[in-house]
Each structure stands twice: as structure tokens, then as C-alpha cells.
Amino acid sequence: MASDKEPTVIKKYANRRLYHTGTSSYVTLEDLAGLVRNGEDFVVYDAKSGEDITRSVLAQIIFDEEAKDGQNLLPIAFLRQLIRFYGDSMQAVVPRFLEFSMQNFAEEQTKMREQMSKAFGGSAFGGPAMDALQAQTRANMQMFTEAFRLFNPFAASAAAQGKAEGTAEPPKSDDLGELKRELNEMRNRLDKLSRDT
């Protein structure tokens, strides 16, 4: 959630304490998680070096949340796939793709909540309400499946080809031109998707 307001500055000291410069008080990672949930932007700087360490602090918040019972949002298959992209030629595209996907997902969830609120008010979920929830979930999953297929067309087509030929491994192609064409096509689709939002 971007805003025109300048992000709050948090300083991290050598003793691992986090200092909220806006309130002049020390805060915890749980406090920072609350700021994120409330839509407040912040940046975290190492107090000694001045280095921006926001990414690692946000990653630590996610790690802590994932460690809680029943709080798992990141499927193991997703985490493995994400690790595979580090150092891969597609690494530069991944952040933009994930940001775009999460933004779309958040917008769809907001629409769904508004529709549910209008249709059922404060009544308990059941019958038609559950049907609407399931339909929205299916639509979201279809969007993510299509997005991932567009994002990595080589793996899907190679796996399908391998299955059709009855081989355990997908066939390897020496046709570099075809791979370049497919990569350009995928980039064009991603650019189009980002412009349409």
C-alpha cells in the first residue's frame, strides 16, 4: 500500500533493538508487523552504517510469522521454487511478477469482501455465502495458475512433452532461437499485464 506520506524511519542498533524515530520509542518485530498490517510504510536503517536493511527485517517478520502454529502462508513448493530462482536467468523478473501477483490478489480479495458484505451483511457464512467464497477462491487460483504458466512457459511445455513421450525427464532443446522467442513473448505478456493494472 503506497502512500504520499514519507515512510517512518526505524533504526536498528547493534544490540538488535529497533528504534521508532516517529514515536521516539523502541519497538519489536511484532510492532513492525502491526505497522505493515495497518498500511504504514517504514524503512529500517542500520544505526551504525546507515545501510538500508528493510528487506532483511521484513523477511525476519515473515520468518517469525511462519514459525507460529497455524500461520503458514508460504507453501513448501513455493519456497523451493523461489530458492531455485536465485541465481537463475529469470531472477530479475521474479520480484516484479510477485509484486504484480500480490497486488492483483489483494485487489480481488477487497472486491470479494465488499461483495460479501453487501450481499450478506453481518450474517454468518453459510449456503450462498460459502458458494460465493468458493467461486472467488477458484477464480483467484485460476488467475495464479495462469500467471505462473505465463511466467515459466518452458517448464510447462517441456513437462507436457516429456509426459507425452513417456520419458521421466523433459527433452532438451538445442533451438536457442525458439527459447528466445518464447522468453520475449513472456516478457511482452508480463509488460501488458502490468500496464493493464
Side-chain angles (χ1 to χ4, degrees):
M1 295 173 64
S3 79
D4 296 334
K5 184 181 156 191
E6 284 292 312
T8 301
V9 173
I10 308 292
K11 293 184 178 180
K12 185 173 183 180
Y13 289 92
N15 61 5
R16 295 182 174 206
R17 294 191 77 186
L18 298 161
Y19 184 77
H20 189 302
T21 61
T23 60
S24 300
S25 61
Y26 287 100
V27 293
T28 64
L29 287 175
E30 186 63 36
D31 295 328
L32 295 184
L35 293 178
V36 172
R37 289 184 189 101
N38 293 329
E40 185 175 336
D41 288 336
F42 60 84
V43 291
V44 184
Y45 295 107
D46 182 281
K48 186 175 182 181
S49 69
E51 177 187 1
D52 184 341
I53 57 171
T54 308
R55 183 182 311 273
S56 64
V57 170
L58 291 173
Q60 183 62 48
I61 291 170
I62 291 170
F63 178 80
D64 288 353
E65 291 293 325
E66 285 288 312
K68 294 177 183 175
D69 286 338
Q71 291 286 95
N72 309 110
L73 288 180
L74 302 174
I76 290 173
F78 171 80
L79 293 170
R80 286 185 175 137
Q81 185 62 51
L82 195 58
I83 290 167
R84 287 183 192 111
F85 280 121
Y86 283 98
D88 186 89
S89 59
M90 298 299 292
Q91 180 175 341
V93 183
V94 173
R96 189 167 148 212
F97 169 77
L98 292 176
E99 188 173 359
F100 170 77
S101 297
M102 288 305 293
Q103 182 180 354
N104 263 345
F105 184 76
E107 288 169 4
E108 289 300 318
Q109 293 304 309
T110 300
K111 289 178 192 173
M112 185 187 75
R113 285 189 184 104
E114 289 170 1
Q115 290 169 354
M116 296 294 282
S117 177
K118 286 178 188 174
F120 306 106
S123 66
F125 276 64
M130 189 55 72
D131 292 342
L133 178 63
Q134 288 173 344
Q136 185 64 47
T137 301
R138 280 192 296 274
N140 286 343
M141 288 307 296
Q142 185 176 11
M143 179 193 73
F144 276 113
T145 301
E146 178 64 13
F148 275 111
R149 187 189 65 73
L150 291 174
F151 182 66
N152 194 0
F154 312 121
S157 63
Q161 213 172 2
K163 281 183 185 174
E165 295 173 5
T167 58
E169 288 187 1
K172 293 183 173 52
S173 172
D174 294 328
D175 190 359
L176 186 58
E178 178 64 17
L179 289 176
K180 286 181 180 179
R181 186 193 64 73
E182 288 184 21
L183 180 59
N184 285 332
E185 182 182 326
M186 182 192 64
R187 285 183 182 147
N188 290 338
R189 286 180 183 175
L190 287 172
D191 288 340
K192 183 180 183 307
L193 286 173
S194 64
R195 283 194 303 268
D196 290 344
T197 59

